[in-house]
Amino acid sequence: MELYLNDVYPYAQQISNYIEREIFQQKLKAGQKLLSITNLSKELNVSKHTIQLSYKILRKKELIVKKGNDFFVTKDNCCIITKMKEETDLQIIKCLHELAEMGYSREQTKSLILRKLETLKFPQ
C-alpha cells in the first residue's frame, strides 16, 4: 500500500479506504485478524494515531471490530457490504441527477462516464 502526501484524503482516510477495498474484494475475509496498530504504523511509516483513526473509521462503518487489543474484519460484513454498495448506487444516481440539472445531455453524460471509466483500474 502506498500513501500519497498530496492526495485529497489524509493518510488515515487513505488507509481506511484501502482496507475497505480489500474487504469488498474479499482479499480480507470475514473474521480475519488485521495487523496491530503498532505493526501497521511501522509498515506504513505513519504514527500510531493515524492507524487508530483509520481503524476508528472502519469500526464506525462496522467493517471491523475490536476484541481486546486486536482488530478483526466483522463476521457479518456481507450485509454491511451490500448496504454500502446500495448507498454507492444512490450516490451515483444523485451525481447523474446533478449533471442533468447542470444541463448535461444524456450523450454528454455518457461520454463523460466512458472517458472516466477508461482511466480507472478495476479488479480482475
Side-chain angles (χ1 to χ4, degrees), residues 55-108:
Y55 283 4
K56 183 177 181 179
I57 291 166
L58 293 164
R59 287 178 67 196
K60 188 172 183 177
K61 291 181 176 185
E62 300 179 3
L63 291 172
I64 67 171
V65 293
K66 184 176 182 181
K67 295 179 185 175
N69 289 328
D70 297 323
F71 294 88
F72 298 86
V73 177
T74 55
K75 291 189 178 184
D76 60 344
N77 65 7
C78 192
C79 296
I80 295 165
I81 291 170
T82 300
K83 180 183 171 191
M84 293 183 81
K85 286 181 178 181
E86 289 170 357
E87 289 172 3
T88 301
D89 288 350
L90 291 174
Q91 289 175 347
I92 292 169
I93 291 167
K94 181 182 175 188
C95 288
L96 291 172
H97 283 288
E98 288 175 5
L99 288 171
E101 288 172 3
M102 291 171 49
Y104 279 73
S105 70
R106 181 181 300 266
E107 284 306 311
Q108 288 172 318

Side-chain angles (χ1 to χ4, degrees), residues 5-64:
L5 184 60
N6 294 328
D7 198 287
V8 293
Y9 296 113
Y11 287 160
Q13 187 67 54
Q14 290 179 54
I15 294 165
S16 66
N17 288 348
Y18 176 82
I19 293 171
E20 187 173 315
R21 280 191 305 274
E22 294 288 295
I23 292 170
F24 284 166
Q25 295 171 5
Q26 296 186 349
K27 292 178 182 174
L28 289 173
K29 305 287 187 199
Q32 185 173 339
K33 183 178 176 182
L34 301 177
L35 287 176
S36 70
I37 289 171
T38 301
N39 288 341
L40 189 54
S41 71
K42 286 178 183 175
E43 184 175 306
L44 298 177
N45 198 28
V46 298
S47 71
K48 290 180 186 179
H49 180 70
T50 298
I51 304 303
Q52 289 170 334
L53 289 174
S54 298
Y55 283 4
K56 183 177 181 179
I57 291 166
L58 293 164
R59 287 178 67 196
K60 188 172 183 177
K61 291 181 176 185
E62 300 179 3
L63 291 172
I64 67 171

Side-chain angles (χ1 to χ4, degrees), residues 102-118:
M102 291 171 49
Y104 279 73
S105 70
R106 181 181 300 266
E107 284 306 311
Q108 288 172 318
T109 302
K110 184 177 178 181
S111 176
L112 174 68
I113 292 168
L114 290 174
R115 280 195 319 269
K116 294 299 177 185
L117 280 173
E118 293 299 321

